[in-house]
Amino acid sequence: MLKAVIFDDEYIVLQGLQRMIDWSKYGIELVGTASNGFAAIDLVETHSPDIVFTDIRMPGMDGLQVVEKILAAAPEIICIVFSGFNEFDYVKKAIKLGVSDYLEKPITIPMMEETLKKIQEKVQQHKSVLSLEEKWENSRIELIEKATLGLLLEGVEAFPKWRNSFGEGSKDIVGVTVLALSEKIQELPNDSSYLPFYVRNGAEHLLVIFHYHEDTTELWKQLLYWPGENGISVGSGRTYQNLTDAPKGYKEALQALRYGHFLEQGGWTRFEEIGENPNIPGDLSELEESIIFYLRTGDKTGLFKQLSEFISKIQSQRLNPDLIEREILKLIYLGMEVAKETGEDISKISQGNYLPHIEIRMLNTKEKMFNWLKNQMEMIMDWFLFIRRDKKHEAVEKACVYIQKNFSKDLTLQDVAEYVGMNPTYFSLLFKEEMKISYIKYLTKFRIERAKELLQEGYKVADVSEKVGYHTYRHFSELFKKQVGVNPGQYRDSF
């Protein structure tokens, strides 16, 4: 129901309009009256009415001043003025201010009822327009979301459809970043430098960020504190200037999320943090990606499950022997590349004379090929796990010493992995296995402990932030409070 107020310094007018008009008949509730301008403004601030009826002449503040102040604060309010027969100049000014109508005194019941009908029709028309606009906007957003999912899945082929759905604004987009979420969560805070769209692909929750500026600093700042402490995990792919590269960012985001889950890292995991192996193709199927994942994580059960699915897929396609051989060899060589991430020579496997492309030629049935594949992958994994057990303690100990000496620098996972001579992805898994904590959490914990020591010694918070490797004061303060329970300034003051 709409709310209305009446302002007039004539008591009889106020009483008459209150008692002789059936306001509810028009879907209106009369919530108050006032006899002077100051009381009128107080009433508007208290009740936030939809409709204001006001006399032009009132003590304290006249009706025009009241209308001007009301419409400046809330231009959507419908204002109607009462005027005398000789107040036309005032009426003209009222119209300029934006009043919806004016009624000439004396005010009669039929005159008011006719006005209320007009208001009722006007409100209904306005609601209809808003409803149509809302439906159109929702439909437009839905089209963009569908086109965006197409862009992630098909890239170049889906780009024209995405551009048409996005409209004129597409020409202002200068890059795209894809985030994979463990579940749908609150939206990113609005910012003029990017526009996020939530899309879903089956069980996958995705947030596609379209950038209006090449500088993505603001987005990364937001991701440091989002999604917060609600147990949600986020994986981000790299930012691509060419929108047709969105499928790459999509795959990278899913990988980052998957490894973030395994490392129990929580929060935000960047693809850059888990690293990549340049010798492994970027266009692998989901099954091939899973096989690599289970190899790296040393999960034999998961590996053999994926191999069984791979074999079922090959059998269902009824490929000729040459194609089957090629697909199997591809998996073997992918496994060998993963094994090389340890920094050891994989050729040492099978007494240093491992030639799978020759061995497979000696097999003359699909069944023999599939059994051979399982045996080879098991052999690669066993070798991989043996090397890991042998090198794990030494490599991680070396990395920890390096971290303790260089924690004040911008120390990335890539830097530490290179120092110990390993692939970043493999190193991050090895570190978690040995230390029971992820590399990022270990580094953060070490830095915060050192920060506490410096704060106890009386150093300024900004200086401590720099000394422990956080060049963004806000980032340091947020992390410190999350770890310690109070912000750095409060911690320092307590000593």
Side-chain angles (χ1 to χ4, degrees), residues 173-321:
I173 303 297
V174 297
V176 60
T177 305
V178 183
L179 309 180
L181 318 173
S182 57
E183 60 183 84
K184 186 176 181 181
I185 46 180
Q186 76 271 19
E187 296 179 359
L188 276 172
N190 291 330
D191 190 82
S192 60
S193 66
Y194 60 78
L195 180 65
F197 276 96
Y198 171 80
V199 296
R200 189 165 180 174
N201 185 28
E204 298 168 359
H205 300 272
L206 308 165
L207 199 63
V208 184
I209 314 292
F210 294 109
H211 300 279
Y212 291 116
H213 303 301
E214 291 183 5
D215 182 5
T216 57
T217 304
E218 189 56 38
L219 173 63
W220 303 138
K221 282 182 182 177
Q222 296 293 350
L223 289 175
L224 288 173
Y225 317 109
W226 179 90
E229 301 193 21
N230 50 12
I232 304 299
S233 300
V234 178
S236 67
R238 289 175 289 194
T239 298
Y240 289 93
Q241 293 182 346
N242 192 337
L243 268 64
T244 57
D245 287 329
K248 295 180 184 177
Y250 169 42
K251 288 191 70 174
E252 291 168 358
L254 291 177
Q255 283 186 44
L257 179 63
R258 188 173 199 175
Y259 282 100
H261 272 313
F262 180 80
L263 294 169
E264 297 175 357
Q265 197 157 289
W268 172 35
T269 303
R270 299 175 64 188
F271 180 75
E272 292 89 337
E273 289 175 2
I274 66 169
E276 62 178 331
N277 188 330
N279 297 318
I280 294 178
D283 58 348
L284 299 179
S285 69
E286 190 175 334
L287 270 174
E288 291 166 338
E289 291 279 6
S290 294
I291 286 169
I292 288 176
F293 175 79
Y294 287 117
L295 260 177
R296 278 180 176 149
T297 55
D299 185 344
K300 258 189 185 181
T301 303
L303 174 67
F304 279 103
K305 181 181 178 183
Q306 295 303 307
L307 285 175
S308 296
E309 288 188 25
F310 171 81
I311 290 168
S312 297
K313 183 179 178 182
I314 293 291
Q315 288 177 324
S316 67
Q317 293 176 339
R318 298 186 178 182
L319 302 178
N320 65 52

